[in-house]
Each structure stands twice: as structure tokens, then as C-alpha cells.
Amino acid sequence: MEILWFLIALCMLVVVLGPFIRSRRNRIQLARPGSPDAADPETYGFVRQEELDVRTPGPDQDLLDVLEVVQRTQEWKAAAQLLAGTPKEGEQRWQRVQAFAGAASLELAQQPGVGGAWLRNWRSEAPKDAGAAQVHAEFLVQQAWRTATAGSDEFRIILEEARKVCGEAALLAPGDPVPYITELAVARGLGYSPEQFDQLWAKVIDRAPDHMGAHLAALHHLCEKWHGSRQEADHFATTAAARAPHGSLLAALPLFAVYEHLPEVNLVQSFYQSAVVTKAIEGALYAVHSARADDPMLPHVRHLLVVFLVNSERWAEAMHQLVRVDGHVGALPWTTEPDPAAAYTVYRALAVAGYEANGGSPATLLH
């Protein structure tokens, strides 16, 4: 009897998955490397996988130069000077704080007990430096999520310390939104009540009402897998997009809300052509076209668009995003993967293959 039920279940699975599998077979497939039919991303000027930079979503040469100096010499003064000269308004300061904290965290993982000594020295030798406190708070947040199990005592202890350092950083730079944006990740990990979250969010938007990075952190808190729901996250994203001033990337926020609630297994062939997804993609494309070319958050939106455009089989549009972000992969969705560069290059290869299968070539791709 058990065998009969197993065979029935197997038949039902074939009925459900059969059309999906067949449809995928009829779509673009990657040829084996070295095959004469294989599309070659390098003919488009794309960077080889092993040379992709996983530290940042887009170019920030000043940051990369300073990181190289700090990590080579283990001296923190160059980092302090860079942050001191980075305005508290806008997105760049937040991204640089994240990058410094991530570098220290990675060093510590590679050299337990000694890695990231420059950050410890920075904090001890310049206790009143707001930049040092901000990087330290973000470092603790990244350590909690990277090294401890969410919900464990160790996890909570690290995040409680991060919350304390966020408070210290806020006192050192009263008008700077960065300490409060960092605390949004603490709020997610510690499970702030709705009232606590609202109070924290009010402090953020009082200082930076149109901060894209802050909105992404808040959206993560409000999504279904954490402390909100699909409806709550969608409402937050669409409201922010509707209120966004012209040129703001907040118009792309609904696409991030869709991404946060993607099904783990998609059995709906037309999912990426659905009205909800299409509308979110169009909103993100509008935001990209309207934004300043030097907006630090622009690469974040372009990277996410690549995933949705490839899955929607909008090959040419995906290629137009790729030529503008290639070289840097420190952004969603790649950073959620064990090997961000590998995940990115799979989508890049799919985009190239799809583009060429539909008549595209390096000569027809306008940069």
C-alpha cells in the first residue's frame, strides 16, 4: 500500500513539474565552456570571475585605495580621514562604514584573535572619533550575523553590545543617520516591538527622509520572514516609492519588496511576467533612468534588475544593466550566496546567451 501511495505521489509530481521542466528546456541554455556555441562574456569587455570585486556594489576608488593602505599597514588614520571627509548626508558614508566594518570582520575570520587590529586600535586611540564608533557598531552587527546563530545567547549578547555602541556613535555625531541605520539591523536581530521600531525609524527619517539604504534595512525588518508580513512590506515600499522625489531611487523599493518575498520554489511559468513583477521592474527602471549617474545606491538597483530581467527573458535590458555594473558584485542578491562572484557570472552568462540567441552582439550593444 505504501508503494502505491508513493507511485501516486510521483505521478502527481510529474504532472505538476512536467510543463515547467519542458518550458525551461525550450529556453536559453548555457553551452559547455570551450564549446564553439558557448557565448563568451569577455567579448563584451566583462571582467573575469576571479577578478570581480566582492567588497563594493560599484566603483569607489577612494575607498578601495584607503582599504588597501589600512589592511597593508594596519594603520587606521587613513580610514579616519576618509570618513571625516565623507558628508553625513547621502548614501556614501553608510556604504563606506559598511565596507570598513566588513573588511575588519573578514580579517578577523581569516586571522582569529589578530585580524582587524586596526579597528580595535582606532577605537582605543580615538575614542571620540564618530567614524570609529560607527564602524565598530557595524562591525559588531556583521559579527553577530556572521558568527552566531540568530536567536542564540551569543547572538543577542553581540547585538546588545552593538546597540550600546550605536548609542555612543549617535552622541558623537548628533545629526548623522548612520548609527540609527545600523541599529535597524540590531532591531531585526533582537526583535524590537512595533513601538520600538517606529521610534527608531522616526529618528532615521528625521535625519535622512530619502535614504535608500535606510529604507532597505527597514524593509528587511518588515518582511514576512522577520517581523512583518508581505502586505506590510509592500505597503511600506509602495508608499515610499509614491512619495519619492524625482531622481530618487526609492521608486525602485517595490522591486526589493518583491525580491524579499520570492518563493523558494517557483512552479508558475509566467511568474516573472506577472503584473506585480512587471510593475516593480518598470518602477525600478524608471528610478535608474531618473537617478544621478553618481548615486552610490544606483549599482544596488542595477544588480537586482539583472536578476529580474534575466528571469523575465528581457535579455537586451539585462545586458544594458550589466555593462554598467560589471566588475563589482558586493550587492544583493549575490551577497546572499556563498560565492557572490560565481552567482553573478551565471546570470551574466545567461544574459549574454539570451542576448545573442535573439540577434544581439557586442556591436549592437550600446554602452
Side-chain angles (χ1 to χ4, degrees):
M1 192 65 176
E2 290 180 356
I3 294 176
L4 178 61
W5 280 114
F6 172 77
L7 291 174
I8 292 173
L10 185 61
C11 290
M12 291 178 66
L13 188 62
V14 170
V15 169
V16 172
L17 292 179
F20 174 76
I21 294 170
R22 285 194 297 273
S23 71
R24 297 301 294 179
R25 285 178 177 170
N26 292 331
R27 296 183 186 183
I28 300 300
Q29 294 189 21
L30 296 180
R32 291 180 179 275
S35 164
D37 296 325
D40 185 2
E42 289 188 37
T43 63
Y44 293 86
F46 291 147
V47 175
R48 296 176 64 87
Q49 178 178 329
E50 59 269 23
E51 296 172 357
L52 291 167
D53 195 321
V54 301
R55 296 171 295 178
T56 59
D60 184 345
Q61 196 57 50
D62 289 341
L63 170 65
L64 296 179
D65 289 345
V66 168
L67 270 175
E68 192 278 327
V69 169
V70 168
Q71 294 188 302
R72 176 170 49 81
T73 65
Q74 290 296 299
E75 292 290 337
W76 54 266
K77 290 185 174 61
Q81 290 172 356
L82 183 65
L83 282 186
T86 305
K88 63 187 178 185
E89 300 80 12
E91 311 278 349
Q92 192 174 55
R93 184 178 181 87
W94 166 232
Q95 290 199 18
R96 287 176 170 177
V97 165
Q98 286 184 302
F100 283 128
S105 180
L106 185 59
E107 277 187 41
L108 186 59
Q110 295 172 339
Q111 304 174 59
V114 296
W118 56 269
L119 176 55
R120 294 190 291 275
N121 295 337
W122 188 5
R123 276 293 273 158
S124 63
E125 295 171 19
K128 300 299 183 183
D129 188 326
Q134 290 175 6
V135 174
H136 184 203
E138 174 64 23
F139 167 81
L140 289 169
V141 167
Q142 293 193 27
Q143 281 295 101
W145 291 101
R146 180 173 287 145
T147 65
T149 302
S152 67
D153 289 343
E154 180 188 5
F155 180 78
R156 296 187 65 84
I157 289 169
I158 299 173
L159 286 184
E160 289 288 359
E161 179 64 18
R163 175 159 59 179
K164 174 174 172 264
V165 179
C166 284
E168 295 171 1
L171 290 174
L172 290 170
D176 196 325
V178 168
Y180 301 103
I181 300 173
T182 300
E183 194 179 344
L184 288 170
V186 175
R188 177 160 54 92
L190 294 181
Y192 279 23
S193 69
E195 294 76 17
Q196 289 175 304
F197 176 81
D198 289 343
Q199 290 171 6
L200 174 59
W201 183 239
K203 293 175 182 176
V204 174
I205 59 174
D206 281 349
R207 291 160 176 80
D210 302 321
H211 199 290
M212 181 68 173
H215 279 79
L216 290 176
L219 177 67
H220 205 32
H221 180 98
L222 295 170
C223 71
E224 190 172 62
K225 59 191 169 190
W226 286 105
H227 306 294
S229 65
R230 183 188 301 265
Q231 292 74 22
E232 193 172 359
D234 287 345
H235 176 73
F236 176 81
T238 54
T239 300
R243 293 175 178 171
H246 180 73
S248 169
L249 286 169
L250 287 176
L253 204 60
L255 187 66
F256 286 86
V258 173
Y259 170 75
E260 289 287 357
H261 295 94
L262 285 176
E264 290 188 13
V265 178
N266 175 35
L267 298 178
V268 181
Q269 181 179 341
S270 59
F271 173 79
Y272 284 96
Q273 287 80 32
S274 66
V276 170
V277 174
T278 300
K279 184 178 179 181
I281 290 174
E282 295 305 326
L285 287 170
Y286 168 79
V288 162
H289 294 149
S290 304
R292 299 188 334 268
D294 62 347
D295 191 316
M297 291 301 293
L298 189 53
H300 286 273
V301 181
R302 291 193 188 279
H303 278 290
L304 194 65
L305 271 169
V306 168
V307 172
F308 279 89
L309 291 170
V310 166
N311 281 309
S312 300
E313 300 180 15
R314 295 166 64 166
W315 312 114
E317 290 170 289
M319 290 294 288
H320 280 89
Q321 301 306 318
L322 282 165
V323 296
R324 289 164 174 81
V325 298
D326 193 71
H328 301 268
V329 294
L332 285 175
W334 325 120
T335 50
T336 64
E337 300 292 336
D339 187 339
Y344 168 81
T345 51
V346 167
Y347 270 86
R348 186 178 67 183
L350 283 169
V352 170
Y355 182 63
E356 293 188 352
N358 287 274
S361 71
T364 61
L365 183 61
L366 298 176
H367 286 251

